[in-house]
Amino acid sequence: MVYALWDAPLVVRVVPAYQERETWTRQMDFIMSCVGFAVGLGNVWRFPYLCYKNGGGVFLIPYLLIVLVGGIPIFFLEIALGQFMKAGSINVWNIAPLFKGLGYASMVIVFFCNTYYIMVLAWGFYYFIKSFNSVLPWSTCDNEWNTPSCIEFFRHPNCENGSLANATAAPNLTCLQLAEGHSPIVEFWENKVLGISEGLDHPGRMNWEMLLCLVAVWILVYFCVWKGVKSTGKIVYFTATFPYVVLVILFIRGVTLPGAYDGIMYYIKPDWSKLGEAQVWIDAGTQIFFSYAIGLGALTALGSYNRFNNDCYRDAFMLALINSGTSFFAGFVVFSILGFMAAEQGVHISQVAESGPGLAFIAYPKAVSLMPVAPVWAALFFFMLLLLGLDSQFVGVEGFVTGMLDLYPGRSYHRYKREIAVAICCFLCFIIDLSMITQGGMYVFQLFDYYSASGMTLLWQAFWECIVVSWVYGADRFMDDVARMIGYRPFPWMKWCWSFITPCVCMGIFLFHLVNYKPLTYNNVYVYPWWGEVIGWCLALSSMLCIPVSVLYKLFRAKGSFKQRWAHLTTPVWGPHHMEYMAPDAHSRAPALPPCNADHNKVIIFESVM
């Protein structure tokens, strides 16, 4: 049931009845869900490395600037849009129906994210199970998956001088052989967990242990989401807060280890010369769009379950502070432990500092294997990893399912339509995931990670969100709508960002990525074949093309001159809740509704006529 509230002739048409949208039981449910979704693995395994790589404490300058001009404005925009329109990522663009392709694009992106992100949880769950051994399986070289090149200890005083390559450093081993040896953790990761093949064109056999882990985490995600926000809002109280408890425990343990001070100083020591490098600013912008979960449509879905009068402006700033604060604090945890690992191995911190899966499944497991009571710290770390990824995963699934169900708000399907929709979504993602638990699965995983939800797709999405709201719907008009919701007008800075600054930042970083595009590689050694890159670009374009293709299709199908088509297709379609908050006299302009004893499956809506 929708009403178009503008001065134009009205026509009545019959559509299925509107079902009132459920809301959060309490507002803290929304806060915790946003924290759980936005604060994820990227805060722990990507930000600290970028901070170290890009000048330490100096990196915070471009990071905070882009937070103010890009991160917070779009974060607030997506939450406010969802709350105002009371719709998921597709129907929220009824605010400018011509650009509904933005909703379809975000659905494609979040579907791809749900598909490949779950693999990190499956790997983490596998490591978590393997942590319950008196001797960690990745700490020794006497396992069936190890090769003759496996070496447990690399440090030896005789090898510190590079000219002593032929000196005997250990029984039957020279320094050169030590340098060419393989770590047991690398062999555990590549030979046991991944069983990695020669390339993308060699899928190989399926890893049945990983299949069981994948099934387990998908079942867990399903039962977190199947009942909607009423259940999700409760689960995130644990999954969003407990990782902070583990981070504090690991921080206390980390700073007491030898070498921790050196590791932390490498993390925060400022290198002012880095400010002049474009890559530093690009890394800051890309990290913010990743960690703030912008462009995925899930924030819009979460905001749609808010009360109409919720102060989403205040919430946006609070959530941004929690997100960025978590990233910065996690750096102290990670680099205190990496400093210890560098000291134990007698190498420079740069040789052990990694990001992404390399940090989670190689560097950190190696570090805990050097600690006393190693299994305890390993289990604690991977449990934290699971929780960080789990709430991001099930909120992403929630966002996708919300958008799909909103397409048919009044249809009377099976009474368990949400449960069925969640099951179908999880099953489809699971089927695609089967390609990632083969021996060539890591190459497939990287294709999804590098292209489907890359910086380019998110920047493209954020750019058009700002353009549509500011220049099609109207920035001042949307500021008035926000004021109707929260009771006061946000600072004009938001309007300036949406209209000018944020689109320029998004497009600038997007073009930089495009100009400096480099073909995908694995471990800087394996280069993907041309057809692999074609698949990757198809994944990226499948979401990016939704916007222009949808616009052209709608314009082509409409009638009248271009001006008439544009005017009709950019006129908002309001929901029933807008009747109360936006147009008190709307009922006086509307024809009478049918009596209560009329057909309950039909209602009257009004829309403008050309």
Side-chain angles (χ1 to χ4, degrees), residues 158-159 161-170 172-178 180:
N158 291 344
C159 297
N161 187 335
S163 63
L164 299 177
N166 295 320
T168 301
N172 303 321
L173 290 175
T174 65
C175 294
L176 183 61
Q177 290 173 316
L178 279 179
E180 295 175 348

Side-chain angles (χ1 to χ4, degrees), residues 87-309:
S89 58
I90 296 179
N91 281 354
V92 74
W93 294 106
N94 280 334
I95 201 169
L98 177 61
F99 293 91
K100 219 168 182 179
L102 272 165
Y104 294 111
S106 65
M107 292 287 282
V108 172
I109 295 173
V110 80
F111 177 78
F112 286 148
C113 277
N114 293 338
T115 300
Y116 82 87
Y117 192 83
I118 195 79
M119 286 306 305
V120 181
L121 300 184
W123 294 329
F125 186 59
Y126 184 75
Y127 272 80
F128 178 69
I129 294 172
K130 293 295 183 179
S131 297
F132 293 95
N133 289 292
S134 56
V135 178
L136 294 175
W138 57 78
S139 62
T140 62
C141 286
D142 53 1
N143 304 288
E144 59 178 350
W145 57 82
N146 292 125
T147 66
S149 302
C150 181
I151 301 172
E152 293 182 24
F153 301 101
F154 288 81
R155 183 181 180 183
H156 197 280
N158 291 344
C159 297
E160 293 180 3
N161 187 335
S163 63
L164 299 177
N166 295 320
T168 301
N172 303 321
L173 290 175
T174 65
C175 294
L176 183 61
Q177 290 173 316
L178 279 179
E180 295 175 348
H182 296 159
S183 166
I185 179 57
V186 173
E187 293 200 345
F188 179 79
W189 168 243
E190 293 190 345
N191 300 343
K192 177 64 174 174
V193 180
L194 300 180
I196 197 161
S197 65
E198 294 85 359
L200 187 63
D201 51 347
H202 293 83
R205 58 178 174 78
M206 193 175 289
N207 187 328
W208 295 104
E209 287 182 307
M210 290 309 305
L211 176 62
L212 294 176
C213 291
L214 183 64
V215 170
V217 290
W218 266 124
I219 291 174
L220 193 58
V221 168
Y222 175 78
F223 285 108
C224 287
V225 179
W226 71 322
K227 290 298 183 183
V229 295
K230 299 296 183 184
S231 61
T232 304
K234 304 298 180 293
I235 296 168
V236 290
Y237 277 88
F238 176 71
T239 59
T241 56
F242 191 75
Y244 288 95
V245 176
V246 179
L247 273 176
V248 170
I249 294 172
L250 292 175
F251 172 74
I252 295 171
R253 175 56 180 156
V255 295
T256 59
L257 293 170
Y261 175 79
D262 293 331
I264 291 173
M265 292 313 298
Y266 276 113
Y267 170 53
I268 62 174
K269 184 180 179 182
D271 181 0
W272 297 100
S273 64
K274 292 284 188 178
L275 282 179
E277 298 180 12
Q279 187 62 48
V280 175
W281 295 81
I282 301 303
D283 283 346
T286 306
Q287 170 62 17
I288 288 162
F289 281 88
F290 272 120
S291 67
Y292 277 51
I294 288 168
L296 301 177
L299 293 175
T300 304
L302 295 178
S304 71
Y305 296 114
N306 280 337
R307 292 175 292 104
F308 189 79
N309 292 320

Side-chain angles (χ1 to χ4, degrees), residues 313-379:
Y313 185 61
R314 174 201 60 199
D315 292 347
F317 278 93
M318 177 170 53
L319 290 166
L321 180 63
I322 293 172
N323 194 315
S324 297
T326 302
S327 298
F328 188 62
F329 177 69
F332 288 93
V333 178
V334 170
F335 271 84
S336 63
I337 293 172
L338 292 182
F340 160 73
M341 191 169 83
E344 284 293 302
Q345 295 183 340
V347 297
H348 193 269
I349 186 71
S350 61
Q351 294 181 246
V352 296
E354 297 190 54
S355 68
L359 172 67
F361 301 115
I362 295 178
Y364 201 94
K366 186 186 293 184
V368 296
S369 68
L370 301 174
M371 296 182 187
V373 202
V376 173
W377 300 109

Side-chain angles (χ1 to χ4, degrees), residues 51 66-67 137 147 170 201 229 247 273 323 405 481 510 545 585 604:
C51 198
I66 299 180
V67 163
T147 66
D201 51 347
V229 295
L247 273 176
S273 64
N323 194 315
L405 293 179
D481 296 335
F510 175 84
L545 289 179
D585 63 333
I604 303 297

